[in-house]
Amino acid sequence: MINNPKFLIGMLTLFLVSLVACNPSDESSAILDNQSEKNNSAQNTNDDASLVDNKDASSNGKTDKENDETDEKAETPSNNPDKENSASLKEVYLQKLNETKTEMDKLRDNPEDSSTYALKNVESERFDVWDEMLNEVYGILEEQLPANMMGQLRQEQRDWIENRDNTAKEASIKYAGGTMEQLEYVAVMNHLTEERTFELVREYMK
């Protein structure tokens, strides 16, 4: 029976069929295993990429916040004295003179009483204030103006002082010998000194 060729061929055919039937299954299994490994690897890679992206996003968020803070600081005006540069020294002094004028006018309009003595005290006080203000402005101009221009102003100021004193003297003569003589003299001095202080600031100060 074993020597029967038909039997041997049949057995061999069966063996080959069985062998062929088993091999595709193994290859499929191998392919599935490989595909699974690739999927796992891809998943791990995606997870890693996600972690990196999240880390970068977190880092970028921090950087953006820092940038925002930097921008805010850049937009915040600094407490720099140069900020006061928005108003020139000339504008500052014109405001100062106007405030002084308001105070001095109130002082003149509200004396302690109406006596000549009280009025003279008010005018004397006003003169001290305006004379001091004039000297302050003049001192600033000495620092601001070039030497040749300051030389001209110095001579102009000497002429002005002489003219002021003469004008005040002439105005007071009509009250010569009376109690109003000195009051008129100081009142005119005040008026001219106030005008000159404003004039120096407007025409010469920067």
Side-chain angles (χ1 to χ4, degrees), residues 13 43 50 58 73 76 97-98 134 138 141 151 153 160 168 173:
T13 300
Q43 181 64 39
S50 177
S58 176
K73 289 179 181 178
T76 303
L97 293 183
N98 284 320
L134 177 66
Y138 189 80
L141 294 178
L153 179 59
W160 174 81
I173 288 177

Side-chain angles (χ1 to χ4, degrees), residues 37-57:
E37 289 178 2
K38 287 181 180 179
N39 289 339
N40 290 336
S41 176
Q43 181 64 39
N44 291 336
T45 302
N46 289 336
D47 291 343
D48 292 342
S50 177
L51 290 174
V52 172
D53 289 342
N54 289 337
K55 182 178 179 181
D56 290 342

Side-chain angles (χ1 to χ4, degrees), residues 69-110:
E69 290 175 354
T70 302
D71 291 341
E72 287 176 4
K73 289 179 181 178
E75 292 173 1
T76 303
S78 59
N79 295 325
N80 195 321
D82 287 343
K83 181 188 172 185
E84 289 96 25
N85 247 351
S86 56
S88 67
L89 193 58
K90 180 177 183 177
E91 292 171 326
V92 169
Y93 264 88
L94 284 175
Q95 181 178 350
K96 186 175 182 179
L97 293 183
N98 284 320
E99 291 172 353
T100 301
K101 176 176 172 56
T102 299
E103 292 176 6
M104 293 301 98
D105 288 349
K106 286 181 180 178
L107 181 65
R108 183 190 58 196
D109 296 338
N110 297 282

Side-chain angles (χ1 to χ4, degrees), residues 116-117 120 171-185:
T116 303
Y117 178 78
K120 282 169 63 176
S172 66
I173 288 177
K174 58 185 176 182
Y175 299 107
T179 57
M180 290 290 294
E181 181 179 4
Q182 186 62 27
L183 175 60
E184 183 67 12
Y185 180 83

